[in-house]
Amino acid sequence: MRELSQLIDVEEPAWPELRQSLSAGPVAVEVLPADSDLGRASLLQLQVTARSYLGAVVLHCGGLLVDDGWLRVFGSPVEGAAPGVPGLARVNQFPGVFDSDWRADTGLVVGQDVLGGVFALNGGAPASAGRPGAPGEMVYFAADSLRWEALDVGHSAWMAWLVSGALDEFYADLRWPGWQEEVRALNSDQGLSLFPPLWSAEARQDLSAASRRAVPMRELLSVARDSCRQFDGVDPGFLGAV
């Protein structure tokens, strides 16, 4: 186990570089204020250093609202940083006090989109958790297919990808005219529930015609998990506690 000072006092910390990337990219990113005590406690529990993008986000950032809030990247938010925004520690159910035996064995949930899509960092044995990709790689639970997908990149490359403008292509079939206004109206613990469901043939034929309503993210994720069990007999596992 490394002490907190060993995790924070490092050469070439990642936050200055990451902050520059966030502000210089073509995608709108709101950087939420951080709770320094929560950030330090979370960094200690994760045992990652401030040289990594993950460590930089947890230590210096309350979270990121990417592309008008379509995607939320979790950090260590101060109370009231944004309506309902959860922190990485809460989403992943960190222990209340440091526990050297605790691990995010099935993977660390680092971001969610408003449709119920989940970005996670694979743990040490993704196959045993029913997830694709290698240990330490990013995977995505797609709300339109109810499947985990390997992204074939690590966390730092994923962060760079988020602000590169690639989200437009990634979500090209999952957005409708006027989505920005609907997303901006959400609290940061809400998502959009569609009917017909996003994974249905009817929704795929004309997504803009689907009805949409704001629901708590926990409800959206619960419905997705239940749908996986019902249709495929497969449990996608932990999608984040929000």
Side-chain angles (χ1 to χ4, degrees):
M1 186 199 79
R2 290 175 289 185
E3 299 294 332
L4 185 60
S5 60
Q6 296 174 284
L7 304 174
I8 294 177
D9 301 330
V10 296
E11 296 182 0
E12 300 180 356
W15 180 241
E17 175 187 313
L18 178 56
R19 183 173 53 188
Q20 173 63 25
S21 297
L22 296 175
S23 61
V27 179
V29 179
E30 181 180 356
V31 180
L32 302 176
D35 180 320
S36 60
D37 290 339
L38 177 59
R40 291 161 71 90
S42 298
L43 194 73
L44 182 63
Q45 187 61 65
L46 287 170
Q47 288 290 295
V48 298
T49 75
R51 290 188 66 181
S52 68
Y53 275 15
L54 178 59
V57 170
V58 169
L59 186 61
H60 296 288
C61 175
L64 305 173
L65 303 181
V66 182
D67 221 357
D68 294 298
W70 178 276
L71 173 62
R72 296 104 181 223
V73 178
F74 303 120
S76 304
V78 297
E79 187 174 352
V85 65
L88 186 80
R90 191 182 99 192
V91 170
N92 290 280
Q93 299 178 319
F94 283 15
V97 295
F98 175 72
D99 182 351
S100 60
D101 293 327
W102 183 90
R103 299 288 186 275
D105 291 329
T106 61
L108 191 72
V109 174
V110 295
Q112 294 169 343
D113 61 47
V114 297
L115 299 179
V118 178
F119 291 94
L121 183 62
N122 267 341
S128 66
R131 297 183 180 179
E137 287 187 346
M138 291 294 300
V139 291
Y140 176 67
F141 178 77
D144 60 328
S145 67
L146 302 178
R147 298 282 193 282
W148 284 103
E149 303 171 357
L151 299 182
D152 300 320
V153 295
H155 182 269
S156 295
W158 174 71
M159 289 288 296
W161 172 79
L162 290 183
V163 298
S164 69
L167 290 182
D168 285 338
E169 181 179 355
F170 188 75
Y171 289 111
D173 297 329
L174 299 176
R175 287 175 169 176
W176 55 92
W179 64 265
Q180 294 95 332
E181 289 73 20
E182 293 182 48
V183 170
R184 291 187 195 115
L186 298 173
N187 287 345
S188 295
D189 59 355
Q190 292 180 317
L192 289 171
S193 175
L194 277 67
F195 186 82
L198 194 60
W199 41 262
S200 68
E202 293 84 356
R204 292 191 184 100
Q205 288 172 1
D206 188 1
L207 186 62
S208 63
S211 65
R212 296 175 292 276
R213 63 185 180 94
V215 299
M217 279 297 297
R218 63 179 177 275
E219 176 182 326
L220 198 60
L221 297 173
S222 177
V223 169
R225 192 170 181 179
D226 288 345
S227 297
C228 284
R229 295 184 183 121
Q230 178 182 350
F231 298 128
D232 297 331
V234 175
D235 188 345
F238 183 66
L239 301 177
V242 291

